[in-house]
Amino acid sequence: MSPWIVLRSAVVVLALVTHASSAPGQAPAPPTTPPRLTRAESFLGIHFDFHAGADCHEIGKNTTTGMLETILRTVRPDYLQTDCKGHPGFSSYPTKVGNPAPGFVGNPLRLWREVTARHGVALYVHYSGVWDSEAIRQHPNWAAIDASGKANGNATSFWSPYADQLLIPQLRELAGDYGLDGVWVDGECWASVPDYSPAALEAFKKATGIAGIPRKPSDPHWVDFLQFHREAFRGYLRHYLSEVKKTHPGFALCSNWAFTDHMAEPVSVPVDFLSGDYSPEDSVNSARLSGRYLVRQGKPWDLMAWSFGTKPKHQQKTSVQLQREAAVVVALGGGFQAYFTQNRDGSVRLEEIPAMGEVAQFCRARQALCHRSQPVPQVAVLLSTAGHYRRLNGLFNRDLGAVHGVLRALLENRLSVEVVGEHQVTGRLADYPLIVVPEWAYLEAPFRNELVAYGRAGGKLLVVGTEAAEQFLPELDIQIHREAKSLAGSVRTATGLELPVKKGLSTVTLGSKARAFAQWETTNNPANSGRIAVSIAALGQGKIAGVYFPLGQQYARQPSDEARHLVGELTRELFPNPVVKLEGPGEVDVCLARKAGNLLVNLVNAGGPHRTQSILETIPAAGPFTASVRVDQAPKKVTLEPAGRMLPFEYRDGSIQLAVPAVAIHEAIVIHPL
């Protein structure tokens, strides 16, 4: 019998004895209803939505108890998320306070709640927040206004009555009348836009004292205008969370992508958990970045895979493909869910569910091992809040090509990497042997100075990109020569490695304290050949290196062996002795973590054409490998999990040496101390 079934059986027995009720703030449940896990306790879920519209006249017609029990029996999730209102703004249940879809056969949401409650499974709903097209159609004055004076047909204004007259009453209805466990609010930070409505402009002038309203990025105070709207979004979140919690304190609320890499900043609103749905196509790389940022945010978190690809058409992914997408998240300590669409009547395509059952078994086998594990600091890639928000011309859209590229190049050199914001590492930079600053054109002075102090105290800094390097000129001991025309050519290292660069080269001359690591061979200006492309300088007891072209952006667009090898050579110079060294064939992510006193070396097979191919039938195994892991003393034992296989090892010179078999999708070397 699986551990999940044993746990569920114990929970049901306990419930029958104690007659447990629903969580605080929820509608009372029948006395024999088993207790449900909170979102903070949860690990595995399934998300369903179908964004009901004016075409939906028979919602609930094919939603049955048997359909829902088949899902629960096949997958055994901790929670389900089902549709209740999508971006069009029509509610897919017979709401009394919102805008219901045209027609219903019964009350399907009531059935979802009854069945999940009977099985001790939590139920959340998908609800589109800021994006509500029907609310704007009915109330044009609720729309945000663009710089030309045109109303936005989708995004509501933070200064409109939308939250008080629709959002809050409807969330209270879901919490109270339906006894749901919580809501996953979609279409929020990423759908928010700058607002030029009279109320918004008046509030901006009052808050800032700025009379002139910027209309485009080149106008004065554009950054102030965007920051003002970001705070307005936080205020909107605080308001509706506070109001719902007053009446239903046990109702768990999450705003999709808030306080993630979409909204890369400290958590300043009391959401109950963090979540986001990563890219349906380049899913592995999307999850790699999002998970590494979320793990240090201090909140329960999960990530959602799309169970299907969208290009060139809707196609369901294979179970092995979804298992790998789950592994990226699970290896980082996060929870996992997958998204399946519903039919236009709200029913579920049961033929798609068996694959999720296989994914669930894969995840459950790793839950005790990985869930809520904590990363061991090795390499930190800076996702700067200040730099990110200065770069954007919207509120919370993404522009993270440089971070994506640098992260991917580091992972493909088998380094254990975190993605961190200033707030996550201020005061503890020394925990990380290597910190990478990837092409940020702006850093706030106090944090920039903290980075320098970290280097002087023995840390290693890698600064990528000309604009980032310009903030560290004295430390790098360089002069940068801006060119009227962007140079193109090749970067050549002392080992003979040659990397073509299509654009963005800057020429650099060194001071007496710096040394060249790589030079240019330029194609459109031979006179510049021999100038410096990468340099390294001593910085107190540490080192600082600079890369004077957009390496991260180039690698994100077009990864290459040459660029990966350049990053490998450079990081080995700066960080020659990582905790884990792995040798063997194949592409594998190394995620170093701790849990329950054990050291975990997670190995995630990241090979195959996942960046360019939507559907993968198979994934070639990576390895076998030989591994060296630095530890303070010889361990009690070393196992390969989740199978529990004993791994023979030798301990010498402060490291264990061992052989690791091929990795199909995910395995973890677990080092058990004495």
Side-chain angles (χ1 to χ4, degrees):
M1 182 177 288
S2 77
W4 192 94
I5 296 173
V6 172
L7 174 62
R8 283 287 180 219
S9 300
V11 167
V12 171
V13 170
L14 177 64
L16 293 173
V17 173
T18 62
H19 301 288
S21 63
S22 299
Q26 298 173 3
T32 56
T33 297
R36 303 184 289 273
L37 297 179
T38 66
R39 193 60 173 238
E41 297 167 330
S42 297
F43 170 68
L44 181 69
I46 320 174
H47 175 100
F48 299 98
D49 71 48
F50 66 106
H51 294 267
D55 61 320
C56 297
H57 295 271
E58 296 182 315
I59 296 176
K61 180 179 180 180
N62 294 301
T63 299
T64 66
T65 297
M67 180 193 80
L68 300 176
E69 290 187 335
T70 296
I71 297 167
L72 298 180
R73 184 173 59 251
T74 303
V75 181
R76 300 189 180 277
D78 297 325
Y79 61 90
L80 297 181
Q81 285 176 184
T82 188
D83 192 86
C84 84
K85 188 188 80 165
H87 302 329
F90 290 95
S91 294
S92 55
Y93 71 102
T95 177
K96 297 177 181 178
V97 297
N99 300 311
F104 296 89
V105 178
N107 191 329
L109 185 57
R110 190 79 68 193
L111 185 61
W112 280 79
R113 173 70 291 177
E114 290 172 358
V115 174
T116 53
R118 189 163 61 247
H119 286 265
V121 174
L123 181 63
Y124 299 80
V125 283
H126 169 264
Y127 185 103
S128 186
V130 169
W131 187 340
D132 191 320
S133 306
E134 179 62 16
I136 290 173
R137 190 189 68 80
Q138 294 188 22
H139 306 278
N141 60 319
W142 289 8
I145 307 299
D146 70 15
S148 68
K150 181 180 178 181
N152 190 302
N154 299 321
T156 53
S157 169
F158 304 138
W159 289 270
S160 75
Y162 167 72
D164 289 310
Q165 294 187 18
L166 179 59
L167 173 64
I168 293 167
Q170 197 159 21
L171 293 183
R172 284 174 170 162
E173 178 184 55
L174 293 164
D177 294 356
Y178 286 83
L180 302 185
D181 296 273
V183 62
W184 192 86
V185 187
D186 198 6
E188 293 238 283
C189 66
W190 58 267
S192 299
V193 296
D195 187 3
Y196 289 84
S197 66
L201 299 185
E202 182 61 31
F204 173 69
K205 293 174 184 178
K206 183 177 180 180
T208 65
I210 297 170
I213 302 299
R215 304 277 170 175
K216 56 185 183 299
S218 59
D219 288 347
H221 305 298
W222 176 250
V223 172
D224 301 295
F225 193 64
L226 296 184
Q227 289 287 64
F228 167 77
H229 279 86
R230 291 178 185 124
E231 181 54 31
F233 174 74
R234 298 180 200 112
Y236 153 85
L237 272 186
R238 292 187 189 104
H239 174 61
Y240 84 71
L241 262 69
S242 173
E243 290 301 306
V244 173
K245 291 288 189 179
K246 285 177 183 177
T247 55
H248 300 87
F251 192 63
L253 295 118
C254 165
S255 179
N256 181 26
W257 285 123
F259 309 111
T260 70
D261 52 305
H262 247 308
M263 185 179 170
E265 59 180 60
V267 179
S268 58
V269 177
V271 292
D272 292 287
F273 61 99
L274 304 179
S275 184
D277 53 322
Y278 48 80
S279 167
E281 263 70 53
D282 192 13
S283 305
V284 170
N285 286 316
S286 181
R288 277 169 156 177
L289 174 55
S290 297
R292 281 170 174 77
Y293 186 83
L294 278 163
V295 72
R296 293 288 187 186
Q297 280 292 70
K299 283 280 185 180
W301 67 277
D302 63 70
L303 284 172
M304 180 196 300
W306 288 39
S307 71
F308 54 94
T310 61
K311 296 177 181 178
K313 61 181 180 178
H314 183 114
Q315 287 181 282
Q316 286 301 123
K317 295 177 180 176
T318 62
S319 60
V320 70
Q321 185 173 1
L322 286 172
Q323 286 170 5
R324 199 254 296 277
E325 292 182 18
V328 175
V329 177
V330 169
L332 296 168
F336 177 74
Q337 57 174 315
Y339 162 36
F340 292 79
T341 59
Q342 294 167 265
N343 295 312
R344 299 309 289 163
D345 64 2
S347 59
V348 172
R349 302 179 185 95
L350 290 179
E351 68 273 12
E352 298 173 354
I353 301 302
M356 186 61 192
E358 295 177 20
V359 175
Q361 292 178 15
F362 174 89
C363 292
R364 291 294 187 194
R366 290 156 174 80
Q367 180 176 357
L369 175 70
C370 296
H371 194 212
R372 302 192 192 94
S373 62
Q374 288 297 304
V376 174
Q378 289 284 274
V379 181
V381 173
L382 178 65
L383 201 176
S384 167
T385 301
H388 182 52
Y389 283 165
R390 287 263 176 165
R391 176 181 290 169
L392 294 182
N393 287 326
L395 301 187
F396 300 109
N397 50 308
R398 279 197 182 102
D399 184 11
L400 298 177
V403 179
H404 262 292
V406 166
L407 171 63
R408 185 174 174 190
L410 291 165
L411 290 175
E412 290 170 6
N413 276 283
R414 298 176 178 171
L415 291 165
S416 185
V417 188
E418 296 178 49
V419 176
V420 299
E422 293 96 334
H423 65 282
Q424 295 172 329
V425 292
T426 292
R428 63 177 202 91
L429 294 179
D431 291 350
Y432 295 90
L434 174 61
I435 296 177
V436 184
V437 180
E439 301 178 41
W440 295 116
Y442 175 83
L443 296 174
E444 291 178 333
F447 187 74
R448 180 264 178 208
N449 293 338
E450 188 176 354
L451 286 171
V452 172
Y454 152 85
R456 293 192 187 283
K460 310 300 191 300
L461 277 172
L462 173 55
V463 182
V464 180
T466 302
E467 291 180 317
E470 286 178 331
Q471 298 172 82
F472 297 92
L473 294 177
E475 292 76 24
L476 287 164
D477 192 26
I478 61 168
Q479 289 184 326
I480 297 176
H481 309 285
R482 290 285 188 167
E483 307 295 335
K485 180 180 179 181
S486 180
L487 298 175
S490 296
V491 177
R492 186 185 296 275
T493 69
T495 62
L497 175 70
E498 189 167 333
L499 167 64
V501 178
K502 293 183 178 180
K503 62 179 181 179
L505 309 188
S506 296
T507 57
V508 170
T509 54
L510 305 181
S512 60
K513 299 177 182 178
R515 63 180 174 86
F517 187 85
Q519 295 180 310
W520 296 129
E521 299 294 336
T522 53
T523 57
N524 58 353
N525 191 342
N528 286 312
S529 291
R531 292 201 183 185
I532 307 304
V534 183
S535 69
I536 299 178
L539 181 59
Q541 299 178 51
K543 292 181 180 180
I544 183 171
V547 176
Y548 310 117
F549 64 98
L551 173 63
Q553 292 185 53
Q554 176 168 318
Y555 201 85
R557 289 192 304 267
Q558 189 174 7
S560 66
D561 291 342
E562 294 83 1
R564 184 174 67 254
H565 289 314
L566 173 63
V567 170
E569 288 186 16
L570 187 53
T571 53
R572 283 190 292 275
E573 176 82 12
L574 296 170
F575 183 32
N577 197 24
V579 169
V580 180
K581 294 182 179 179
L582 201 67
E583 299 291 337
E587 185 180 335
V588 64
D589 288 0
V590 175
C591 308
L592 192 63
R594 288 193 186 277
K595 185 176 179 183
N598 295 330
L599 182 65
L600 281 62
V601 183
N602 290 283
L603 304 176
V604 179
N605 180 354
H610 53 81
R611 187 171 182 266
T612 57
Q613 190 170 317
S614 292
I615 305 300
L616 300 178
E617 296 293 338
T618 59
I619 300 172
F625 301 101
T626 57
S628 172
V629 185
R630 283 195 293 112
V631 291
D632 294 334
Q633 58 181 346
K636 177 181 179 181
K637 62 179 179 178
V638 179
T639 59
L640 188 67
E641 304 292 350
R645 173 179 173 179
M646 298 293 293
L647 290 179
F649 66 91
E650 294 182 10
Y651 179 75
R652 59 178 185 269
D653 301 325
S655 297
I656 59 170
Q657 316 293 325
L658 68 163
V660 183
V663 176
I665 298 175
H666 166 263
E667 308 288 346
I669 305 166
V670 181
I671 300 170
H672 305 258
L674 290 172

